[in-house]
Amino acid sequence: MIKFITNIFKTLNSNSHPKEIAHAICCGMLLGFMPKTNALWYVLFFIFCFLRINKACYLLFTILFSMITPFLDPIFDKIGFAILSYEPLIPTYIKMLEIPYLPLTRFNNTIVMGSLASGIVLYIPVYIIARLIVRLWRGVIRQAFVNSKLVKAFYKIPLISKFISVSKELSK
């Protein structure tokens, strides 16, 4: 766990392009919003693993967004219901249900459809915000954070200094 958290901070400070980190955050958001009980989630997870994104940020933000999703499920349910009850698309949904294995994606579930649609709509705004935050972190916030009295006092705690030394040894 310590190595994982260390990798996140290394990523923010590394030479990797901010777009890789921003895409990882957005892919994590998309998967974090969706219920994990359908084939669509696993297909997207598998596809995202092969994209050129930062895998540590991807997994971290998938977990983080999964933790806030239960609070957003009523909103996803309403959005999904609106999409699935849209009259012109109902014949298309009926034909999609007849395609083998496609019902395993549970696209006809209001929460699955609403969370997928919300994730797709929020992808671009979250991407832009994430890129700005990474640039701000690298340009301004990192130095202020490292030089703050609180962080310096935190590093002086014996247990924390031991964790830092262990994580440095693990990263070698």
Side-chain angles (χ1 to χ4, degrees):
M1 183 69 176
I2 295 169
K3 187 175 182 181
F4 184 73
I5 293 170
T6 306
N7 285 341
I8 297 296
F9 281 107
K10 282 183 182 178
T11 298
L12 288 173
N13 298 322
S14 70
N15 288 333
S16 64
H17 199 275
K19 70 179 180 180
E20 292 176 10
I21 298 168
H23 279 301
I25 292 169
C26 293
C27 291
M29 174 198 62
L30 188 63
L31 278 185
F33 281 172
M34 292 180 58
K36 282 71 176 156
T37 57
N38 61 69
L40 181 60
W41 190 91
Y42 294 101
V43 168
L44 289 176
F45 179 81
F46 185 73
I47 290 170
F48 292 157
C49 285
F50 288 100
L51 294 178
R52 188 179 180 133
I53 59 176
N54 185 281
K55 303 303 187 272
C57 280
Y58 164 60
L59 294 174
L60 175 71
F61 280 93
T62 300
I63 293 167
L64 289 176
F65 280 107
S66 293
M67 291 167 44
I68 65 166
T69 296
F71 303 108
L72 299 173
D73 278 347
I75 297 169
F76 294 154
D77 186 45
K78 289 177 184 175
I79 293 170
F81 182 77
I83 293 170
L84 291 173
S85 62
Y86 184 60
E87 195 66 36
L89 291 178
I90 290 177
T92 305
Y93 297 142
I94 292 171
K95 288 183 181 182
M96 288 173 67
L97 284 171
E98 296 172 358
I99 298 173
Y101 304 112
L102 194 59
L104 294 175
T105 63
R106 294 182 62 203
F107 72 89
N108 58 338
N109 183 314
T110 56
I111 294 178
V112 172
M113 182 61 79
S115 62
L116 179 63
S118 298
I120 291 170
V121 167
L122 290 174
Y123 194 96
I124 299 296
V126 170
Y127 173 80
I128 292 168
I129 291 168
R131 273 189 81 161
L132 289 173
I133 290 172
V134 170
R135 284 187 179 170
L136 278 173
W137 173 264
R138 290 180 178 176
V140 179
I141 300 172
R142 177 180 51 194
Q143 281 305 109
F145 181 74
V146 170
N147 294 331
S148 71
K149 292 179 182 179
L150 182 65
V151 171
K152 289 180 180 179
F154 184 72
Y155 284 147
K156 289 182 182 179
I157 299 172
L159 184 62
I160 300 302
S161 62
K162 182 69 173 171
F163 280 142
I164 291 171
S165 65
V166 168
S167 67
K168 286 181 181 177
E169 289 178 21
L170 289 174
S171 64
K172 288 181 180 179

